[in-house]
Amino acid sequence: MRLILHVDANSFYASCLICRHPDLRARPVAAAGDPRERHGIILSATPEAKAAGVKVGMAIWMARQLCPQLNVLPPDYPLFHYFSDALRRLFRAYSDRVEPYGLDEAWIDLSAPGRTFEDARRAAEELRLRVKRELGLTVSIGVAASKALAKLASDMRKPDAVTMLHPDLFREMAGSLPVSALLFIGPATRRKLLRMNVRTLADLSRMDSDLLCSHFGKTGNTLQSFAGGMDDMPVRPTEHACLPKSIGHSATPPMDIATPEDALCLLSILAESVSARLMAAGCKARCVSLLVRGTDLVCASCQRSLPLATNLFSQIHGEAAKLFTQRYSGRLPLRSMGISCTLLVPDDAPVQDDWLGIARGRAREETLARAAESLRARFGHHCVRRGRSLTNGVLSAVNPKEQHTAHPDAFFRGG
């Protein structure tokens, strides 16, 4: 039997900030963006703040109404990455099979011949205490025979707890657990399942497989196997991780995007960020998607497939600009925009050369882009900027890499 831990740092952003401000410990604290830049929402809140009704995603003004004593601190992403790296070093003391899931979560595979659930529980308790003693953070740890069940177990008791979920116990509980408790089932999938009268994990595991696949495709089989406790997904260390399903970036600038010039300026900044992320991940994309959100907060998206995979700014921005001009130029003003690249392939995949020299031109552009990223790493993000991004002084100050959070693909799918 496999033995998998899922470790989830409690109130991660807020807890990291408290380590820098220890006088705020045991008081209501929240990490939140800057309202002046229209990022004034709660990113993380301590248990004391949550007890007063403060929730992630809530506007700061609303949180202060519920909790007048709330201490609001700005996010510090270098600090968050420091604690994330420290957590992973602790995890690797227990196994070389550690799969991060965002900054504050990870799976750890403790499977070994002769090792029992009780051995895994003791290791989890030791890890929980070490994190508290050495880093000043608390974690919730789930112990189970699969990744999906370990994640479910870690969500059952928070904060600062270890929860065992043996397969026999899970089967007893499946009839009372809602489908939303399962990994990868977000609000949209939950609504679809409710329309099919599937409310609990037991309902999902008993559902007709063909009917499920007709609504969800191959994902239906995956969800059904998870609901039955039959998840066999391996724990993949970072160095063996598969290619991501998508790489993208979105931004809500300090002002509405009122003109086509403003839109193309912001798209230039976002395309630069996405291009750099693709190169850093060793990927190229065959599909570019544009996402827009109006001032009425209604979102829309469209996409375009590419004949050849790319990670170059010129092509990503060019396709996104075409999509905007054709589909959304009449919807101005906009509150936010985003670019996402999908259908990813390794960037070392063979490329057919051509007599026009297009492939060689792309190689030269990629070399130039990597040189620019090297300069940014040494001298700051704004040391090298494209002329297009300078057409609007407010928008040109946006720094997607440092001022905005990159989320896993499941976040955008509501999972």
Side-chain angles (χ1 to χ4, degrees), residues 126 128 141 165 172 190 235 330 345:
E126 179 185 300
R128 180 183 68 84
I141 305 178
L165 189 56
E172 292 177 10
R190 174 180 170 275
V235 174
V345 298

Side-chain angles (χ1 to χ4, degrees), residues 336-358:
S336 63
M337 302 181 74
I339 295 176
S340 178
C341 287
T342 55
L343 301 182
L344 304 185
V345 298
D347 61 4
D348 57 359
V351 178
Q352 177 66 50
D353 209 345
D354 60 283
W355 64 277
L356 292 174
I358 295 176

Side-chain angles (χ1 to χ4, degrees), residues 326-399:
Q326 295 170 1
R327 301 289 295 273
Y328 303 124
S329 58
R331 293 189 57 171
L332 296 171
L334 299 173
R335 181 175 174 84
S336 63
M337 302 181 74
I339 295 176
S340 178
C341 287
T342 55
L343 301 182
L344 304 185
V345 298
D347 61 4
D348 57 359
V351 178
Q352 177 66 50
D353 209 345
D354 60 283
W355 64 277
L356 292 174
I358 295 176
R360 293 182 183 179
R362 290 183 175 181
R364 287 194 294 270
E365 184 178 346
E366 183 174 342
T367 300
L368 180 61
R370 292 186 184 278
E373 282 303 305
S374 177
L375 288 172
R376 292 188 179 108
R378 294 175 61 191
F379 303 112
H381 179 79
H382 288 128
C383 74
V384 180
R385 289 191 275 183
R386 295 185 181 270
R388 167 75 74 178
S389 69
L390 300 177
T391 58
N392 183 303
V394 176
L395 294 177
S396 65
V398 173
N399 180 351

Side-chain angles (χ1 to χ4, degrees), residues 109-131:
D109 190 343
L110 297 183
S111 306
R115 187 171 290 172
T116 66
F117 254 82
E118 180 58 25
D119 295 330
R121 186 197 64 78
R122 283 196 294 266
E125 285 286 1
E126 179 185 300
L127 175 58
R128 180 183 68 84
L129 294 174
R130 284 190 63 185
V131 170

Side-chain angles (χ1 to χ4, degrees), residues 57-211:
M58 180 180 287
I60 294 176
W61 65 266
M62 187 181 299
R64 288 194 187 280
Q65 284 187 340
L66 294 170
C67 183
Q69 301 81 27
L70 184 66
N71 297 273
V72 178
L73 300 175
D76 184 339
Y77 292 107
L79 179 69
F80 302 156
H81 281 280
Y82 168 82
F83 276 101
S84 180
D85 292 340
L87 281 170
R88 291 175 191 177
R89 285 193 294 271
L90 276 178
F91 299 162
R92 285 192 285 271
Y94 293 83
S95 174
D96 59 353
R97 291 162 292 175
V98 177
E99 180 180 343
Y101 189 61
L103 291 178
D104 60 333
E105 299 182 51
W107 284 282
I108 307 172
D109 190 343
L110 297 183
S111 306
R115 187 171 290 172
T116 66
F117 254 82
E118 180 58 25
D119 295 330
R121 186 197 64 78
R122 283 196 294 266
E125 285 286 1
E126 179 185 300
L127 175 58
R128 180 183 68 84
L129 294 174
R130 284 190 63 185
V131 170
K132 183 185 294 187
R133 182 176 64 251
E134 298 178 24
L135 300 181
L137 305 178
T138 64
V139 293
S140 294
I141 305 178
V143 184
S146 69
K147 289 169 66 176
L149 294 189
K151 176 73 169 72
L152 191 154
S154 70
D155 289 337
M156 286 181 172
R157 292 173 59 206
K158 292 189 176 188
D160 196 19
V162 172
T163 304
M164 301 272 289
L165 189 56
H166 194 276
D168 293 338
L169 177 61
F170 169 72
R171 283 189 284 272
E172 292 177 10
M173 298 173 59
S176 60
L177 289 172
V179 290
S180 57
L182 198 63
L183 182 67
F184 299 141
I185 294 185
T189 303
R190 174 180 170 275
R191 286 193 294 270
K192 290 181 182 179
L193 289 170
L194 288 178
R195 287 196 292 269
M196 301 165 69
N197 202 31
V198 177
R199 301 180 181 278
T200 68
L201 297 185
D203 294 338
L204 182 56
S205 64
R206 291 192 296 261
M207 190 176 179
D208 181 77
S209 299
D210 293 337
L211 179 60

